[in-house]
Amino acid sequence: MDSATSDARTPLGASADNGLKIVVVGGFGVGKTTLVRSVSEIRPLNTEETMTRAGEKVDDTGQVRGKTATTVAFDFGRITLDAHNVLYLFGAPGQERFWFLWDRLFSGTLGAVVLVDTRRIDDSWYAIDRLEHHGTPFIVACNDFGGPVHAGADVREALDLDPHVPLLDCDARSRTSAKQVLISLVQHVQDRYADPSARAGLPRQEFV
């Protein structure tokens, strides 16, 4: 995808008492790095490496031919919520060979964003499966790649989403759009943990 649009950044707070962790996950080339970059108030930590011809034999680049770099560990960004609370954003690598990192990244997570490219919707199934396995609240955001717009009901059916899981469209390049994705996730987490029936059976979360 194109680089994130540059917007004015909120000054970084000197300290905070409480750090809340959110993971952005999804298939290869769906825009996770772009979303973290567009919304972070600090210059994000990226572990992107240049893709080589040798890597084409390992990673399926057929539908992401314009992609020249890929995340090999994780992306990291930060957003200050108030004087005492900050949000830490972790973008997970999308290639199957790095999926072993995901369970570690999910540890202590408040919630997750599953970023989806509707042209390759089956690439999102593993992320949803792992989040459901961990009992981690998540939302699904369909990133805009300029292709045909799919009805929400069709996407929900294709991903076999539970009715309570929010589904929205976004443009990961836009800071405003990325912020709305995170707001939707936080609202979903609040609603889920406020409902005792939704809390039942959920693992106890240790926020880090």
Side-chain angles (χ1 to χ4, degrees):
M1 293 188 64
D2 295 332
S3 299
T5 55
S6 61
D7 298 298
R9 305 286 177 170
T10 304
L12 184 63
S15 62
D17 301 323
N18 195 28
L20 305 174
K21 179 180 176 183
I22 285 179
V23 172
V24 182
V25 69
F28 178 51
V30 297
K32 300 179 296 294
T33 297
T34 301
L35 188 144
V36 173
R37 182 184 297 143
S38 68
V39 79
S40 176
E41 68 189 13
I42 63 172
R43 182 177 181 180
L45 167 66
N46 297 132
T47 57
E48 284 193 311
E49 295 293 340
T50 301
M51 298 181 67
T52 64
R53 288 190 176 181
E56 292 178 0
K57 299 178 181 179
V58 180
D59 302 318
D60 182 6
T61 60
Q63 298 190 58
V64 287
R65 294 193 180 278
K67 190 171 176 62
T68 58
T70 186
T71 299
V72 296
F74 60 84
D75 305 308
F76 174 78
R78 167 177 163 152
I79 301 173
T80 298
L81 301 179
D82 54 40
H84 302 286
N85 297 283
V86 295
L87 201 63
Y88 296 121
L89 304 176
F90 290 82
Q95 305 97 306
E96 184 175 351
R97 58 195 166 109
F98 294 126
W99 283 354
F100 71 92
L101 295 171
W102 286 15
D103 286 347
R104 197 67 172 170
L105 280 176
F106 293 163
S107 176
T109 298
L110 174 69
V113 175
V114 179
L115 204 57
V116 172
D117 178 352
T118 54
R119 301 170 302 176
R120 299 177 288 125
I121 205 161
D122 55 340
D123 290 353
S124 307
W125 291 343
Y126 183 77
I128 292 172
D129 177 74
R130 297 313 301 164
L131 290 167
E132 290 178 340
H133 172 77
H134 283 270
T136 302
F138 67 92
I139 67 170
V140 174
C142 298
N143 196 11
D144 180 11
F145 284 89
V149 177
H150 297 272
D154 293 338
V155 175
R156 186 174 292 277
E157 180 179 2
L159 292 173
D160 193 24
L161 289 181
D162 287 340
H164 73 274
V165 176
L167 174 67
L168 62 154
D169 295 322
C170 77
D171 183 344
R173 299 166 298 182
S174 164
R175 190 170 189 229
T176 299
S177 182
K179 284 173 63 177
Q180 187 56 54
V181 168
L182 297 181
I183 290 170
S184 297
L185 173 61
V186 171
Q187 290 173 339
H188 174 56
V189 171
Q190 288 177 331
D191 292 343
R192 186 170 181 187
Y193 281 93
D195 181 355
S197 64
R199 266 202 320 269
L202 287 176
R204 184 174 183 270
Q205 296 288 331
E206 295 291 344
F207 302 136
V208 294

